[in-house]
Amino acid sequence: MVLHTLIDYDVLRVIWWALLGVLLIGFALTDGFDLGTAMMLPFIGKKDIERRIIINTVGPVWEGNQVWLILAGGAIFAAWPQLYAVSFSGFYLAMFAILFALILRPVGFKYRSKRDDPAWRRNWDIALFIGGLVPGLIFGVAIGNVLLGVPFRLDQDLRIFYEGTFFELLSPFAMLCGLVSVSMLVMHGASWLMIKTEDPIAGRARMTGIAASLLTLALFTLAGYVLWGFVDGYRITSAIDVTGPSNPLGKSVDLASGAWFDNYISHPWTIVAPALGLGASVLACFALVANRPALAFTASALSITGIISSVGASMFPIILPSSVNPEASLAVWDASSSHLTLFIMLVVTVIFIPIILAYTTWVYRVLWGKVTERDITNSHTHSY
């Protein structure tokens, strides 16, 4: 018996759809508080030493946190090649902006304190702020465009043609999704700073986190309302072979108002995802008000998990709809790699993901504890 036949093709496709979501959530939970912390840097750190403390809460861990982004990109490339081709070519300028902003972070961390010049350090603080805001915003904008539909089409040879422009990505609904992303990451970053710092930084982070949690609740609710009443969703209306070869052109797809909510009606248990996004943001707010940083951080992580999971729950089985030719929309059943490829990738994932999790846990355990002014002043050679 060939080993990869031990798991059915349709099951592997669903597994890799779920694993892609896990990797994206993993990136948002880990690198998300890095981005949120960077967004708050110029506002919460009133003095240079305070800003150095803030930077040193994330400086030792940000590189490891970005592993999840690399894994997600690799998973898209190997498991969903057509998704990779459309998104990384159609969103090329947006991806370039994200990469440019992310590059500012390591440069800012390394060079900010090399000169004892207020103007020099202030400029690098702005660069770090941009390095947090731009990725956080554009990732959310990208999700908004996925829900709206991406302007691509396929010819009969399955060649991909993208017909959109960069500025078309900045629609009102997409920007609303970008603001949801920014607010939830600031909430997460504020909870992290409460854990890792002392007053007055922790106190300012607490107030910022309260505002961000309430804003996340309001914006996520508004985005759901707009998605329900004003955005046409995509619905597969023809039979589809869940174990057949990957050919997105073999199905019929209709657009309909409220179609993105079909799964919540047919599978009521999926309502857990948006309920978690909303409920956990409320819990994070209460935890911040009660000055319970560990609970606030856990709640903000759950809220992010729920918000991102809501997108997957709403869209399944579609993973990338086409606004130009809905029949060309990519679905879980017709846009994946081969049966053998998905199986080999799953075996590798089962081996290496636990290793990554164990190493990450060990690193955070070693680096656990608050970053104080004494840590910075007594360790010039080992602090940022």
Side-chain angles (χ1 to χ4, degrees):
M1 178 183 291
V2 181
L3 285 178
H4 73 271
T5 60
L6 294 174
I7 305 179
D8 292 338
Y9 196 12
D10 58 328
V11 175
L12 278 172
R13 283 168 158 168
V14 173
I15 288 175
W16 271 103
W17 169 82
L19 283 175
L20 178 58
V22 169
L23 293 174
L24 293 175
I25 291 171
F27 170 68
L29 295 184
T30 55
D31 208 42
F33 67 75
D34 294 353
L35 299 176
T37 298
M39 291 184 225
M40 294 182 289
L41 176 64
F43 311 104
I44 290 183
K46 302 299 183 181
K47 300 182 294 184
D48 180 70
I49 188 62
E50 292 178 351
R51 295 184 179 184
R52 289 191 66 192
I53 291 172
I54 292 171
I55 290 171
N56 277 271
T57 64
V58 298
V61 298
W62 72 270
E63 290 176 290
N65 293 341
Q66 288 201 159
V67 166
W68 294 97
L69 179 62
I70 298 170
L71 288 175
I76 294 174
F77 173 77
W80 309 101
Q82 291 172 322
L83 173 62
Y84 181 91
V86 174
S87 58
F88 279 74
S89 58
F91 296 161
Y92 180 79
L93 290 178
M95 295 290 182
F96 182 83
I98 290 173
L99 291 176
F100 176 78
L102 290 177
I103 289 171
L104 289 176
R105 287 202 298 173
V107 179
F109 288 148
K110 297 297 183 182
Y111 283 93
R112 182 192 180 276
S113 298
K114 294 298 184 182
R115 292 177 56 186
D116 190 13
D117 178 2
W120 169 269
R121 296 188 174 187
R122 184 171 57 252
N123 289 335
W124 281 117
D125 290 339
I126 294 172
L128 290 171
F129 168 75
I130 294 172
L133 177 64
V134 171
L137 179 66
I138 293 183
F139 281 131
V141 169
I143 294 297
N145 279 280
V146 168
L147 290 167
L148 290 170
V150 178
F152 74 93
R153 60 182 177 85
L154 304 176
D155 65 10
Q156 293 303 313
D157 296 320
L158 299 184
R159 291 180 300 177
I160 298 169
F161 298 89
Y162 183 82
E163 299 182 355
T165 65
F166 173 77
F167 293 102
E168 289 176 355
L169 302 176
L170 306 178
S171 66
F173 178 74
M175 292 301 296
L176 173 60
C177 293
L179 293 177
V180 173
S181 175
V182 168
S183 63
M184 73 180 190
L185 296 182
V186 170
M187 171 181 66
H188 202 41
S191 302
W192 171 257
L193 285 180
M194 284 188 65
I195 293 174
K196 294 292 290 182
T197 65
E198 300 174 339
D199 286 331
I201 299 173
R204 297 184 195 126
R206 175 170 167 265
M207 298 307 297
T208 303
I210 292 171
S213 62
L214 293 174
L215 195 58
T216 299
L217 176 65
L219 291 174
F220 185 49
T221 302
L222 178 60
Y225 172 74
V226 173
L227 191 65
W228 170 267
F230 301 96
V231 176
D232 287 340
Y234 293 72
R235 178 185 297 146
I236 297 177
T237 56
S238 62
I240 186 169
D241 184 2
V242 298
T243 59
S246 291
N247 183 356
L249 297 179
K251 62 182 180 300
S252 297
V253 179
D254 289 342
L255 274 71
S257 178
W260 285 142
F261 290 78
D262 286 353
N263 286 336
Y264 300 120
I265 297 172
S266 57
H267 305 287
W269 62 269
T270 57
I271 200 70
V272 170
L276 183 64
L278 294 170
S281 64
V282 174
L283 178 60
C285 181
F286 281 116
L288 289 164
V289 170
N291 199 22
R292 298 182 61 183
L295 178 59
F297 187 77
T298 301
S300 67
L302 290 174
S303 180
I304 291 172
T305 300
I307 290 172
I308 296 176
S309 298
S310 297
V311 179
S314 297
M315 294 181 60
F316 185 85
I318 294 176
I319 54 178
L320 191 66
S322 169
S323 59
V324 175
N325 180 17
E327 283 71 25
S329 298
L330 308 181
V332 171
W333 316 122
D334 60 22
S336 72
S337 292
S338 68
H339 194 170
L340 178 59
T341 299
L342 295 184
F343 179 78
I344 293 174
M345 289 176 59
L346 182 61
V347 172
V348 173
T349 300
V350 169
I351 294 172
F352 284 100
I353 287 296
I355 296 174
I356 294 173
L357 290 174
Y359 172 75
T360 302
T361 302
W362 177 79
V363 168
Y364 277 92
R365 182 178 179 181
V366 170
L367 297 174
W368 196 248
K370 292 184 180 292
V371 179
T372 65
E373 183 173 341
R374 171 180 287 184
D375 296 328
I376 305 300
T377 56
N378 291 350
S379 182
H380 290 291
T381 58
H382 298 288
S383 61
Y384 292 95

